[in-house]
Amino acid sequence: MTLSKLKMTEQILLAVVMVVIILGGYFGLRFMPENKAIVLLEQQAESTQRKLFKARIPDEPEQGVEELLQQLDDQEQALEVLRSMADGVSQRLAPFDSQALKVRISELARNTGVRIKTNETLLTKVPNRNTKPKNKKKRKVKVDAAAMTDLILPSSETWIKRMSAGTIFHRPMQRLVLEGDYQAIRAFIHGLEGLDWQVTVVQLRIERMPSTPLRGYAQFLVSELVLAL
């Protein structure tokens, strides 16, 4: 059956059906996806707009750029001064296990009139700062040796611990027990400052000897010193 044989109403109805089919296909294949994308873009635009409304513009700094640059220059100069001071101190530090420094200390004791009763190396180690696990079951905690290097202990710790092995201030320690009167021990301690290398007294304890001195003689004392070499 051809199209010319159909009645006018049938032709119109057929044309309407074809238009509906074409529009429906276009609506399903093109319009719906595009409309969905448009709706998504509108939602993103609204979300961005809400964030912009809530955004707070930071206040302008009270200090000007020139002032901040000047403060930065001052800090850099102060850092250079500290570095030069640290270099000066490090140049005065004796090598580890320096026998020459130990000989100088013995000579100083002899020249100041004190007797060295004990002269020994004080072995130090980093205190255990691991926290105990909260679990009731005991677990072995492995300590990484590299992580303990250059450790800085708080100022509440003694200088012996803060200068122990593994810390950033690590120096060899020497324990001395001296016998002599007050003037001799005082001269020995002050004489340490005149040595070629830096020697720091990190611990000092003085006690009176139990024996009573003869008439006209000074009271003898026993002094225990821990020196950082």
Side-chain angles (χ1 to χ4, degrees):
M1 182 173 56
T2 60
L3 185 61
S4 59
K5 293 181 181 181
L6 296 176
K7 296 180 181 180
M8 182 60 66
T9 55
E10 293 176 349
Q11 291 181 7
I12 294 173
L13 180 61
L14 181 60
V16 171
V17 171
M18 292 180 66
V19 170
V20 171
I21 293 174
I22 294 173
L23 291 177
Y26 175 81
F27 184 81
L29 296 177
R30 295 292 303 275
F31 180 78
M32 289 297 293
E34 294 294 336
N35 184 65
K36 185 176 180 181
I38 292 172
V39 172
L40 181 60
L41 289 175
E42 290 178 350
Q43 292 177 353
Q44 292 178 354
E46 292 177 358
S47 177
T48 303
Q49 189 175 11
R50 287 194 298 268
K51 291 181 180 180
L52 290 175
F53 286 150
K54 294 180 180 180
R56 180 181 176 274
I57 301 176
D59 298 332
E60 183 179 357
E62 297 179 359
Q63 296 175 320
V65 177
E66 295 296 334
E67 186 177 355
L68 293 175
L69 292 176
Q70 182 63 38
Q71 291 181 3
L72 181 60
D73 292 339
D74 294 341
Q75 292 178 0
E76 290 179 351
Q77 293 177 4
L79 182 60
E80 289 298 328
V81 172
L82 291 176
R83 286 176 178 173
S84 62
M85 292 174 62
D87 293 339
V89 172
S90 61
Q91 291 176 0
R92 287 203 60 203
L93 295 178
F96 280 76
D97 296 331
S98 174
Q99 297 301 320
L101 178 56
K102 295 179 181 179
V103 171
R104 297 291 187 278
I105 293 175
S106 298
E107 291 178 352
L108 176 63
R110 184 171 59 253
N111 294 335
T112 54
V114 297
R115 174 174 173 267
I116 298 179
K117 186 177 180 181
T118 303
N119 188 357
E120 60 184 6
T121 300
L122 181 64
L123 299 178
T124 58
K125 61 180 180 179
V126 178
N128 186 12
R129 306 187 64 82
N130 296 323
T131 56
K132 297 181 180 180
K134 295 182 179 180
N135 297 341
K136 294 182 179 180
K137 296 181 179 179
K138 294 183 178 179
R139 295 183 300 175
K140 293 183 179 179
V141 180
K142 295 183 179 180
V143 179
D144 187 4
M148 300 299 290
T149 306
D150 294 342
L151 178 67
I152 299 179
L153 298 181
S155 58
S156 58
E157 298 284 359
T158 63
W159 271 110
I160 294 180
K161 292 182 179 180
R162 296 180 69 185
M163 302 179 74
S164 57
T167 64
I168 194 172
F169 304 115
H170 175 221
R171 293 302 302 169
M173 300 284 180
Q174 197 74 12
R175 178 178 173 270
L176 302 179
V177 177
L178 308 177
E179 291 182 354
D181 57 25
Y182 171 78
Q183 293 297 335
I185 294 176
R186 182 177 181 275
F188 173 81
I189 295 175
H190 283 279
L192 294 174
E193 299 178 358
L195 298 178
D196 296 334
W197 296 283
Q198 177 73 31
V199 178
T200 305
V201 179
V202 294
Q203 182 175 294
L204 173 63
R205 185 165 55 247
I206 298 178
E207 295 179 356
R208 187 178 64 177
M209 294 188 67
S211 59
T212 303
L214 298 176
R215 183 182 298 273
Y217 288 87
Q219 174 67 53
F220 262 55
L221 305 173
V222 177
S223 176
E224 180 182 0
L225 294 87
V226 176
L227 306 178
L229 307 181

